[in-house]
Amino acid sequence: MSDFASLLSSFKQDASAASAASKSPAESASAKTQLSRKRPLAKTTSAATPTSHVVPHFPSIHSNTRKKTDFELSFLGIGAQKAGTTWLHKLLQKCDDISLPKEQKEVHFWDWHHRRGFKWYIRQLGYHSQKESSAPLHYGEITPCYVVLPEPTIAELYKCFPNLKIIFVARDLVDRAWSAMIMELRDQTMGLHAGQFADGVIGNDNKITNNNIDANNKRMKLSTAQQRRLEQQSSPSSQPDSYFMDRLRNTTHDSRSNYAKHLTNWYKYFPSSSILLINYEEIESNPRNVLLKVVMHIGVEEEKAKQFVSGLTDNEVGQRVNAATTSVSSSHQLLTQRPLLKKELEKYLQQYSREFNMMLKSKGYDWRLDEYDLEAERL
């Protein structure tokens, strides 16, 4: 076996071992019939609901029972995946009035880790009692998967934090799905299963897991030629159009593309004034304005928010983080080189885009996503 093949095999063994180690005995017993996943598998409660989502329930944290001096969750970034949320997280970390997880971005408390308890959650956010803090901080986190939380979980969030501010960044549906599928293909090459993503997820005690460290160390040991071969194996050009359409139809990608459906659940509980919808294109054209809107939406006073944003350097504000295997521009170029696939993606996602644009109009926003005028293109 060549050195490169050995390294690639080692990557996949690490991913498999990490997945197995994260399972409880009950989960390991069911592994024969299910693909391993990063998130904890819900225990089966009945034959009728084998895959039901276990709803978090924290009655002692409900706003009508806890003290005003207790922890208050100020904001959640709920999506979209591959829409600049890591950029936003990195910059919000620099604001003295805001506290987010320090080491990793995604906590996944409200979908995966709520069994760890609320004390575990607030430790991830760097919470200290108000007696120890010189000034109240705005605590929050950004986990893009939250947008697809089931309605009962959103209802529980509202009972706990009715004044919670919600942030959602909407990216062009084709570009977002394409970027997500490229990331997934890269992760599959490294040994993760389809639909299982590796980026920015808190594991045990908010520390990067050993297998991530090992993988990063091994990547650093790859020669330039070996890195090129790894990129070739995870390149979109290695897969036919049918592969990407099959992945898009999968629940993982289809659900995250249906912005309007899932945001409707959030609007059922939180007022429109508590939900900020951001146009991803504005991050590229006017990142400082986006950041200012977000910081003020979270609750930082206007003067402080302006001082914070103006104090950032152009390099800090313009930094691109967590792109897929290639840059956004080259990723887009790869798709334009496959016009038939691009048309199929547009056709599949067109209705989702239209429905989200209807929501934007109803909420008073003056920007829209591309609706892919397929009829005009045929003329």
Side-chain angles (χ1 to χ4, degrees):
M1 183 181 292
S2 67
D3 291 341
F4 176 77
S6 297
L7 282 166
L8 188 57
S9 176
S10 179
F11 277 134
K12 295 183 177 181
Q13 289 173 3
D14 288 343
S16 178
S19 177
S22 67
K23 293 180 181 179
S24 66
E27 292 166 350
S28 297
S30 65
K32 294 181 180 179
T33 58
Q34 299 187 53
L35 290 175
S36 63
R37 297 178 286 180
K38 274 186 76 75
R39 61 181 178 272
L41 296 176
K43 294 181 180 179
T44 301
T45 56
S46 69
T49 58
T51 59
S52 60
H53 175 86
V54 178
V55 178
H57 187 52
F58 300 104
S60 64
I61 308 299
H62 288 180
S63 61
N64 60 353
T65 60
R66 59 185 166 85
K67 299 177 183 178
K68 290 184 178 180
T69 56
D70 288 345
F71 172 83
E72 182 74 25
L73 185 65
S74 299
F75 69 96
L76 285 179
I78 64 172
Q81 181 200 44
K82 308 307 296 178
T85 55
T86 302
W87 169 85
L88 185 59
H89 173 86
K90 293 290 187 183
L91 289 179
L92 291 180
Q93 280 186 318
K94 299 178 183 293
C95 182
D96 292 338
D97 295 285
I98 297 174
S99 183
L100 299 95
K102 299 300 181 185
E103 296 186 30
Q104 294 282 77
K105 182 182 76 172
E106 300 179 24
V107 180
H108 280 284
F109 178 75
W110 296 98
D111 50 2
W112 302 353
H113 297 311
H114 52 84
R115 291 184 183 87
R116 294 173 179 252
F118 208 78
K119 290 183 179 179
W120 177 88
Y121 183 46
I122 64 178
R123 283 202 306 270
Q124 312 313 309
L125 305 181
Y127 173 72
H128 301 285
S129 68
Q130 294 299 328
K131 292 181 180 179
E132 300 175 20
S133 178
S134 58
L137 291 175
H138 300 280
Y139 293 93
E141 50 128 339
I142 300 175
T143 299
C145 294
Y146 284 166
V147 69
V148 300
L149 286 175
E151 189 175 337
T153 299
I154 299 172
E156 178 68 10
L157 258 166
Y158 180 75
K159 290 177 183 177
C160 293
F161 307 107
N163 297 318
L164 182 68
K165 301 299 184 182
I166 309 300
I167 303 157
F168 181 81
V169 184
R171 184 179 179 182
D172 176 89
L173 291 181
V174 169
D175 289 344
R176 191 217 66 81
W178 178 245
S179 182
M181 289 188 290
I182 290 178
M183 180 179 72
E184 179 187 65
L185 182 59
R186 174 203 65 190
D187 290 345
Q188 278 185 272
T189 304
M190 305 308 296
L192 296 175
H193 293 290
Q196 177 185 5
F197 299 103
D199 290 15
V201 179
I202 284 180
N204 296 323
D205 299 323
N206 195 24
K207 293 181 180 179
I208 301 174
T209 55
N210 288 335
N211 63 294
N212 283 342
I213 295 173
D214 291 342
N216 288 334
N217 289 338
K218 288 172 184 174
R219 286 190 191 97
M220 292 173 66
K221 294 178 182 178
L222 292 176
S223 68
T224 302
Q226 288 172 332
Q227 289 179 11
R228 188 179 301 113
R229 288 180 63 187
L230 187 60
E231 290 173 0
Q232 289 173 348
Q233 291 194 20
S234 61
S235 170
S237 61
S238 68
Q239 299 293 339
D241 291 359
S242 59
Y243 165 85
F244 292 104
M245 291 308 302
D246 287 343
R247 292 308 306 149
L248 181 59
R249 295 185 185 99
N250 181 273
T251 301
T252 297
H253 297 291
D254 178 87
S255 180
R256 296 179 188 185
S257 297
N258 198 343
Y259 297 165
K261 173 184 175 181
H262 296 293
L263 285 170
T264 295
N265 291 332
W266 289 88
Y267 277 114
K268 286 181 183 178
Y269 296 91
F270 293 93
S272 297
S273 59
S274 293
I275 301 177
L276 177 65
L277 305 181
I278 296 290
N279 184 359
Y280 175 82
E281 292 186 359
E282 191 179 356
I283 293 179
E284 298 183 331
S285 63
N286 196 349
R288 289 184 186 273
N289 189 54
V290 170
L291 189 59
L292 180 62
K293 285 192 290 188
V294 170
V295 172
M296 290 180 60
H297 181 68
I298 287 172
V300 177
E301 296 177 0
E302 182 176 0
E303 190 60 34
K304 283 188 175 181
K306 289 181 177 179
Q307 289 177 358
F308 163 65
V309 174
S310 63
L312 296 170
T313 67
D314 289 340
N315 286 338
E316 288 175 317
V317 175
Q319 183 181 13
R320 298 302 298 262
V321 289
N322 203 28
T325 50
T326 53
S327 68
V328 173
S329 58
S330 59
S331 168
H332 184 75
Q333 184 179 13
L334 287 171
L335 183 57
T336 58
Q337 293 171 356
R338 301 173 71 160
L340 294 180
L341 173 59
K342 186 172 183 290
K343 289 285 177 59
E344 286 298 307
L345 294 173
E346 291 174 347
K347 182 178 179 181
Y348 186 89
L349 295 170
Q350 184 181 53
Q351 186 59 34
Y352 289 164
S353 186
R354 287 174 174 171
E355 291 169 358
F356 179 66
N357 282 343
M358 290 175 62
M359 173 176 282
L360 288 173
K361 183 178 180 180
S362 70
K363 300 301 179 182
Y365 288 89
D366 60 1
W367 55 272
R368 302 288 184 268
L369 295 183
D370 192 343
E371 293 187 0
Y372 319 118
D373 191 353
L374 304 178
E375 290 295 331
E377 291 179 9
R378 282 196 285 264
L379 297 177

